[in-house]
Amino acid sequence: MKKELFKKIPAVNDLLESNEAKKIIKTYNHDLVLKAIRNILGKKRDFISKAKISDLKNKELDLSISTLTDEISEYLHKYLKPNLEAVINATGTIVHTNLGRSLLSKEAVQSIKEVAENYSTLEIDKETGQRGSRYNNVRELLIALSLAEDGMVVNNNAAAVLLILDTFAKNKEVILSRGEMVEVGGSFRIPEVMEKSGAKLIEVGATNKVYLDDYEKNITENTSLLLKVHTSNYRIMGFTAEVKLEKLVKLGKKYNLPVVEDLGSGIIRDLSDLGLLDEPTVADKIKQGADLVSFSGDKLLGGPQAGIIVGHKEFIDKLKKNPLTRALRVDKFTLSALEATLKAYIKKEDREVIPTLKMLSEDIEIIKTRAEELKEKIYNIDKKKVMIKVEKDFSKTGGGAFPVQSIPTYVTKVKIKDRTLHDLSHQLRMNNPPIFTRLQDNYMLFDLRTVKENQLDLIVDAFQKVLKGRRK
Ligand SMILES: *Cc1c(COP(=O)(O)O)cnc(C)c1O
């Protein structure tokens, strides 16, 4: 029985010779079609060898060329669907690293488009027609916003730290407090970046306490710089002591050592009006005397992925001369989006146009309205199966900032009768568009702070599918 079925499976060449397949080959890459054919035929063989004889008898297995080519077309269609697709973020974490961190402003998206479709002034000086520097496109803006003497941009903040250490600390020692041995998102660890750059880490103090004297007594003729890392994704609380930047700057002056701070999530304009207190701005750090400050472009700044370095001109000049800068350089899309984002700060419309700040500052009553609307719409799909309510909860800034500060929000909490949360969340993730939620206290939570008004109906559609779907 099985033997006969195996025999019925057409050979790859027979399929390739069929008229249907010839049509497909005209539109798709030949090797890909071949791969699709092998995949589909392989599945058939697999199915036959695993199936029970009784099953094979009951249902006729369709191995006709036309059915197989249909399946091949479907395979190719799926293959060409974007892997990196837009999703709905209902987690309430605004700068969500796994979902792409910051969204760009309309202005930033528009400038990327302009620069993508046209030639641009990326590295040319209009005035003289001579070659220019790509950094000049944002340099003045960085200076204006940070009050530093100079600034530059590399691929991300990890690259910025690497470049700084490689330039100033290669084969030398760097002093860092034990309390600031940061790991960011599992992939960026200060000690490991330091090792890559050839710098030797000198850890000083205890995890919870470090004094100026701990730094001073570890300074040798091999010391290259004093490093501070902003512990933006955790806080050490309770019995603590930290050396303030100003004091470290004084010590640096005394021994002629640059003081560098990795600020992580760079804040350009103070966020205390949003209830987010005690996070220093980049300009604060410059005022306090840091020689170089580095931070991310796509965390709370709300721009594209980038590593921004500001500080003293002589140091920035040295960084620019390091050949590594060429390897870590940003592209024109980053620069154009960053320029548009920084200009929103200059115009003081950052809270209105930069999505990250807009979400962060949205009025809680407006969020509540969306939460109520979502509740009504989902409840009305099937009042017997849907258990749903709106409650106060907390959003998170994410991106390793304000770890201990939660932002009040409203969430829609859902449970579906006879459905596990595990199944439900899987189905929503596999929806088109995929929806990511928060599971908490035996409920599925939709935090409406990170969900736009025009996404509500897409969520409702997904629930419609869930509730009308199979499974009794
Ligand atoms: C996020 C972060 C980094 C890494 O920044 P990327 O832009 O993700 O490379 C480095 N240092 C600190 C303190 C951070 O918070």
Side-chain angles (χ1 to χ4, degrees), residues 62-257:
D62 187 353
L63 293 170
S64 66
I65 297 271
S66 68
T67 303
L68 290 174
T69 42
D70 280 353
E71 286 176 29
I72 289 160
S73 291
E74 197 181 319
Y75 175 98
L76 293 169
H77 189 73
K78 271 198 195 142
Y79 185 93
L80 288 179
K81 269 189 25 185
N83 289 325
L84 184 56
E85 52 183 327
V87 307
I88 295 176
N89 172 14
T91 65
T93 298
I94 298 171
V95 180
H96 196 304
T97 293
N98 302 137
L99 300 182
R101 286 198 183 160
S102 280
L103 312 184
L104 293 179
S105 67
K106 289 206 171 62
E107 291 77 3
V109 172
Q110 184 56 32
S111 36
I112 288 180
K113 189 168 179 295
E114 289 286 323
V115 161
E117 292 176 344
N118 297 287
Y119 292 107
S120 60
T121 52
L122 182 62
E123 281 189 355
I124 207 144
D125 184 339
K126 272 195 299 192
E127 189 95 6
T128 60
Q130 301 294 306
R131 182 165 187 217
S133 155
R134 66 176 62 213
Y135 302 107
N136 287 346
N137 292 297
V138 292
R139 189 174 161 266
E140 290 297 332
L141 293 168
L142 290 175
I143 291 172
L145 291 168
S146 68
L147 310 175
E149 280 174 16
D150 204 353
M152 67 182 287
V153 188
V154 289
N155 210 10
N156 53 23
N157 189 28
V161 175
L162 176 67
L163 178 63
I164 291 170
L165 294 174
D166 185 86
T167 309
F168 299 103
K170 207 179 186 112
N171 305 322
K172 291 197 178 142
E173 293 170 358
V174 172
I175 303 182
L176 175 72
S177 156
R178 280 209 172 80
E180 297 172 9
M181 298 265 286
V182 175
E183 169 174 323
V184 187
S187 56
F188 177 85
R189 281 194 180 140
I190 283 289
E192 285 170 9
V193 176
M194 213 168 273
E195 202 184 301
K196 264 278 165 261
S197 71
K200 184 167 177 235
L201 175 65
I202 306 292
E203 304 162 49
V204 300
T207 305
N208 61 332
K209 288 203 169 198
V210 61
Y211 300 98
L212 193 65
D213 185 46
D214 292 321
Y215 285 89
E216 184 156 17
K217 68 185 183 215
N218 279 291
I219 293 176
T220 68
E221 69 265 28
N222 258 331
T223 308
S224 59
L225 58 84
L226 307 176
L227 181 65
K228 263 187 95 64
V229 177
H230 189 64
T231 57
S232 49
N233 57 356
Y234 65 98
R235 283 286 138 77
I236 294 172
M237 289 193 274
F239 190 57
T240 65
E242 183 201 5
V243 175
K244 293 253 176 294
L245 179 63
E246 289 102 321
K247 287 210 173 135
L248 213 54
V249 167
K250 265 196 196 137
L251 188 66
K253 289 230 163 75
K254 185 168 159 193
Y255 290 92
N256 200 21
L257 293 170

Side-chain angles (χ1 to χ4, degrees), residues 23 45 69 96 113 148 176 218-219 248 293 353 359 367 385 412 415 468:
K23 262 189 235 154
R45 255 177 247 120
T69 42
H96 196 304
K113 189 168 179 295
L176 175 72
N218 279 291
I219 293 176
L248 213 54
V293 178
V353 308
M359 283 186 256
I367 297 174
K385 285 195 187 148
T412 307
K415 252 198 299 205
K468 303 263 149 73

Side-chain angles (χ1 to χ4, degrees), residues 2 5 27 32 51 68 78 130 396:
K2 286 197 177 184
L5 282 172
T27 9
L32 180 61
L68 290 174
K78 271 198 195 142
Q130 301 294 306
K396 281 198 151 54

